[in-house]
Each structure stands twice: as structure tokens, then as C-alpha cells.
Amino acid sequence: MAKLKVAILISGRGSNMAALIEAAKAADYPAEIALVVSNVAEAPGLAIARKEGVPTAVVSHRDRPDRETFDRAVSVELERHGVELVALAGFMRIFSPWFPTRWAGRLINIHPSLLPCFKGLHVQQQALDAGVRLSGCTVHFVIPDLDAGPIIAQAAVPVLADDTQDTLAARILRQEHRLYPLVVRWFAEGRVSLAGGRVAVTGAAPLLFSTDP
Ligand code: GRF
């Protein structure tokens, strides 16, 4: 059966991208990474993608007069590669409303908190300041409002008494690397559906718990 063509959009390190590329190497993985797009030419993740032989494109936001012009240029690249699902992974640009509308139901993001808690930036500091005992990561559909789309799956980890932003971020990141490839697999298997703003995943539990340090 044909594999689902996935694009990953990055701006930096690309560790979630690398986890998806790794997962897609398995012969029985139902998705292929058809393209990695970065808005930052120097993003370290681009070098990883190139080394893995994944097609890459750089679409700089600096050359574009407004957000929608940038979004349309990204979209042209995605269409050129026949992309069917767009996975944001540390992509640090806010879209115009045009992009999530164009890719509605086929645009997902991973965020390092249990949404709807702690949106935006400095997420781990927000969690530490709030004194929560659990945090984690969320894969969700992207809508024009930031970090607000329907939730597909989450992974939860404990917040420990001596955690810093860095130790908490690292614990969550390990779960991101498990969760994102899993969700993309479900997508490719046609198990994720969205109706009335609620997501259903058939035949799988869209929640991971980890007590790993
Ligand atoms: C991850 O924590 C992700 O949840 C957030 O940005 C970070 C990107 O890290 N959206 P990486 O580039 O995937 O290593």
C-alpha cells in the first residue's frame, strides 16, 4: 500500500524530526517523510535531514512582505512534493489564518505541555511556576489560534521536586520522540478522525504515561 507522504516543518534542532525520520525507516511504517521545510537556512535539523537523504527546502520568512505570502510559498513546496500530512516540529513561525485553513485536518503540531495548560513559550517555566505535579506533551491539530487546536494524543510525565526547566524539558522530549511517530502512524492508518471539534482514535489509546527519570 502507498505510504502517507508527510512533511515536517522545523526552525531549529530537529530532534522530533529525527525521531520521525527514524521511525519511517521501518519497512512496515505506513508513512514516509517526503519533505523537510525550514524557515531558517541554518537550522541544525536541515543538516540531519540531508544526511538521511530526505528532500529539504528552505523558505525564508525574511524575503516575504507578510505572513500569508510566506504561508503560500511553503504550501507551494508541500504541493510540489505531494504532501498529505504536515507535521510541525519546533516550527517557530505563526501562520496567517490562510495556512491552517488550506491544510485543515492535515496539519498537526507537537507542544511540550499538557494542553490547554501552558501555551506559547517558556512552557517548562510556566509548569514549574504553577507547581503542577504532572506535565508532558500534546499532539494536536493546528488552527489559527496558537496551541489551541483539537487534541489528538498526550504523554504525561511527573514533575519532580528538584526539576529545572532543562531537566523537565528533557524528560518531556523523550516522550515527544515516542508520541509523534505513534500519532503519525495512526494518521497513516486512517485511525484519526475529527468531528465536531473532537478527535477520535480508533483501536489505540491516545495517552502515554511515563515514570522514567
Ligand atoms: C519541542 O519541545 C516541541 O514540542 C516544541 O519545540 C521543540 C522542538 O524541538 N514545539 P526539536 O526541534 O524537535 O528538537
Side-chain angles (χ1 to χ4, degrees), residues 6 14 32 53 62 70 82 95 118 132 136 139 153 175-176 186 203 206:
V6 179
E32 65 176 283
R62 292 180 199 283
F70 169 78
F95 294 114
F118 317 134
V132 293
V139 178
Q175 300 310 310
E176 295 184 43
W186 294 337

Side-chain angles (χ1 to χ4, degrees), residues 12-17 89-90 109-112 173 176-177:
R13 172 176 69 177
S15 71
N16 277 290
M17 175 211 73
N109 181 45
I110 189 157
H111 181 79
L173 193 64
E176 295 184 43
H177 296 164

Side-chain angles (χ1 to χ4, degrees), residues 88 91-95 100 109 111 115-116 118-121 123 126 140-149:
L88 308 183
F91 186 66
M92 301 304 283
R93 287 295 292 172
I94 293 174
F95 294 114
N109 181 45
H111 181 79
L115 290 172
F118 317 134
K119 299 176 178 180
L121 298 175
V123 172
Q126 292 185 53
H140 63 95
F141 282 107
V142 175
I143 62 169
D145 290 343
L146 191 66
D147 300 330

Side-chain angles (χ1 to χ4, degrees), residues 153-173:
Q154 294 184 307
V157 304
V159 179
L160 304 180
D162 58 354
D163 264 335
T164 62
Q165 290 189 68
D166 289 347
T167 57
L168 180 56
R171 188 175 311 117
I172 292 171
L173 193 64

